[in-house]
């Protein structure tokens, strides 16, 4: 089933460049949060984008290079979630206001930053990419009997319904299929074509808040965001491979590309951890900031978002130069 949504073109680009030399402790946090931009860039990128950041309250999406210097800036109202494409393009899920429940717009941006299409949906916040190009987005309460839907949207705005079910939340592409997790403990794998064919299902005692592909083909990580606060590693058959309690409230997963390793961050505290094969705790760092989220595996360490800054630590937990000056960071993702 395929439905065409309205398209609207238009995007603007600009640039701002900031270099932060971070110290330790409170000095690091203060610099990252308050140091203003020092250099203005032209609209043309001067280095490849390594990571994308959504600055929701500043109405912009910024691309940062390997030194976390801003090399791209796209003006877009209320960006809340990002999903890069293999062709250099970018999906941006945007809200009508500062929340994820007002009514959403899914914008497809070409590698040049030009908006290719805009798809209007109802409330949603989960965003992924399938086959390197098409967006997957959860739309809440718009299916039959007010259940949720997963839409697959092409860059030109053409959309189809992949599945309909109640309590949908976690979402990822996995081996060319779509895997969803629900807040009442169900995992399910569907064909990504729009046939709505169910390939596998399982029921757990959990509330799945985030899923992310990682490890062997078909495997993925799942966050149980119930009071159990568990990290699960799940096989192609939706069976548990390993499970560990992480001891804090994490909301997003930062997978190390091509490996059975993943970072999690404490949204109510200052701790970031990396788990490896078998659920072994490999890294455990306490950072000089609070409310950490959106971990991204980066070089030999990790990036994490705070409301106003990106922090960076190396594999030993030592601070590295980060980036500040954000109004409200709502997402942080690695570029493809």
């Amino acid at each position: 089933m395929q439905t065409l949504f309205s398209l609207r073109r238009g995007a603007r680009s600009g640039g701002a460049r900031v270099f932060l030399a971070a110290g330790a402790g409170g000095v690091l946090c203060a610099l990252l949060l308050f140091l203003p931009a020092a250099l203005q860039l032209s609209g043309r990128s001067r280095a490849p984008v390594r990571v994308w950041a959504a600055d929701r309250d500043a109405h912009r999406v910024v691309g940062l290079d390997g030194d976390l210097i801003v090399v791209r800036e796209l003006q877009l109202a209320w960006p809340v979630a990002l999903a890069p494409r293999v062709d250099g393009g970018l999906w941006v899920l945007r809200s009508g206001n500062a929340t994820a429940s007002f009514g959403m717009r899914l914008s497809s941006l070409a590698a040049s930053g030009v908006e290719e299409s805009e798809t209007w949906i109802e409330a949603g916040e989960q965003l992924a990419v399938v086959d390197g190009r098409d967006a997957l987005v959860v739309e809440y309460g718009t299916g039959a009997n007010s259940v949720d839907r997963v839409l697959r949207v092409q860059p030109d705005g053409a959309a189809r319904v992949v599945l309909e079910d109640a309590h949908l939340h976690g979402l990822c592409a996995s081996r060319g299929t779509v895997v969803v997790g629900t807040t009442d403990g169900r995992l399910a794998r569907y064909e990504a074509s729009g046939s709505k064919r169910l390939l596998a299902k399982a029921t757990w005692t959990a509330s799945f808040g985030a899923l992310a592909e990682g490890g062997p083909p078909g495997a993925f990580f799942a966050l149980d965001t119930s009071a159990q606060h568990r990290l699960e590693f799940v096989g192609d058959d939706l069976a548990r491979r390993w499970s560990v309690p992480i001891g804090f409230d994490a909301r997003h997963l930062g997978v190390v590309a091509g490996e059975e390793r993943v970072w999690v961050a404490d949204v109510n505290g200052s701790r970031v951890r990396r788990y490896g094969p078998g659920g072994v705790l490999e890294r455990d760092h306490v950072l000089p900031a609070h409310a950490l989220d959106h971990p991204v595996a980066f070089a030999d360490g990790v990036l994490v978002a705070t409301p106003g800054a990106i922090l960076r630590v190396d594999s030993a937990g030592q601070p590295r130069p980060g980036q500040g000056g954000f109004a409200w960071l709502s997402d942080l993702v690695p570029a493809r």
Side-chain angles (χ1 to χ4, degrees):
M1 165 176 155
Q2 198 171 56
T3 304
L4 295 181
F5 291 83
S6 61
L7 311 181
R8 189 172 69 187
R9 297 181 180 272
R12 293 172 290 166
S13 64
R17 183 174 184 177
V18 182
F19 180 81
L20 293 178
V27 174
L28 168 69
C29 195
L31 283 173
L32 288 172
L33 290 174
F34 302 117
L35 187 64
L39 297 173
Q40 295 295 318
L41 290 178
S42 68
R44 185 180 64 182
S45 300
R46 297 186 178 180
V49 173
R50 291 282 307 279
V51 63
W52 290 100
D55 192 359
R56 187 195 66 189
D57 291 2
H59 308 295
R60 63 178 185 151
V61 173
V62 298
L64 302 105
D65 67 10
D67 294 318
L68 297 187
I69 304 301
V70 175
V71 293
R72 295 288 302 277
E73 183 169 331
L74 307 172
Q75 300 299 317
L76 292 162
W78 305 115
V80 297
L82 306 173
R85 306 194 313 237
V86 294
D87 63 0
L90 185 68
W91 289 101
V92 184
L93 186 62
R94 302 188 286 139
S95 176
N97 60 13
T99 74
S101 61
F102 181 79
M104 310 296 293
R105 292 162 288 175
L106 179 61
S107 294
S108 172
L109 304 181
S112 64
V114 173
E115 188 174 79
E116 301 169 303
S117 70
E118 186 174 75
T119 300
W120 290 74
I121 65 174
E122 297 301 324
E125 57 181 315
Q126 298 293 323
L127 181 63
V129 167
V130 64
D131 295 334
R133 178 176 178 269
D134 293 354
L136 296 171
V137 61
V138 177
E139 185 180 40
Y140 298 131
T142 58
N145 300 314
S146 298
V147 300
D148 306 324
R149 308 192 301 175
V150 172
L151 304 178
R152 178 173 180 166
V153 186
Q154 298 173 0
D156 65 2
R160 70 193 76 173
V161 178
V162 175
L163 66 103
E164 293 182 298
D165 206 343
H167 309 296
L168 297 179
H169 199 69
L171 171 74
C172 74
S174 170
R175 196 173 48 83
T177 67
V178 177
V179 178
V180 293
T182 68
T183 55
D184 60 359
R186 290 173 290 125
L187 289 173
R189 185 186 297 274
Y190 285 83
E191 283 191 345
S193 63
S195 68
K196 300 186 181 179
R197 182 186 173 198
L198 177 65
L199 302 174
K201 64 179 180 179
T203 301
W204 299 33
T205 302
S207 177
F208 292 111
L211 308 179
E213 186 177 22
F220 59 94
F221 296 95
L223 267 181
D224 175 7
T225 54
S226 72
Q228 300 181 93
H229 300 307
R230 300 189 71 86
L231 172 65
E232 311 280 2
F233 186 60
V234 186
D236 182 65
D237 57 356
L238 303 188
R240 178 184 282 126
R241 295 294 186 262
W242 50 259
S243 175
V244 292
I246 58 177
F248 53 70
D249 186 7
R251 300 294 174 85
H252 296 93
L253 296 159
V255 177
V256 179
E259 300 184 29
E260 189 183 318
R261 288 184 167 85
V262 65
W263 290 91
V264 291
D266 187 357
V267 298
N268 297 311
S270 302
R271 190 176 297 272
V272 61
R273 289 176 170 172
R274 192 182 81 188
Y275 291 88
V280 173
L281 178 61
E282 298 179 327
R283 301 283 187 269
D284 187 7
H285 307 309
V286 177
L287 306 188
H290 196 73
L292 309 180
D293 202 358
H294 305 288
V296 171
F298 197 78
D300 62 346
V302 65
L303 307 179
V304 288
T306 66
I310 300 170
L311 305 184
R312 180 182 178 184
V313 295
D314 62 21
S315 59
Q318 297 302 307
R320 300 286 300 277
Q323 181 64 275
F326 297 99
W328 186 272
L329 275 171
S330 52
D331 204 4
L332 186 67
V333 296
R336 285 180 178 256

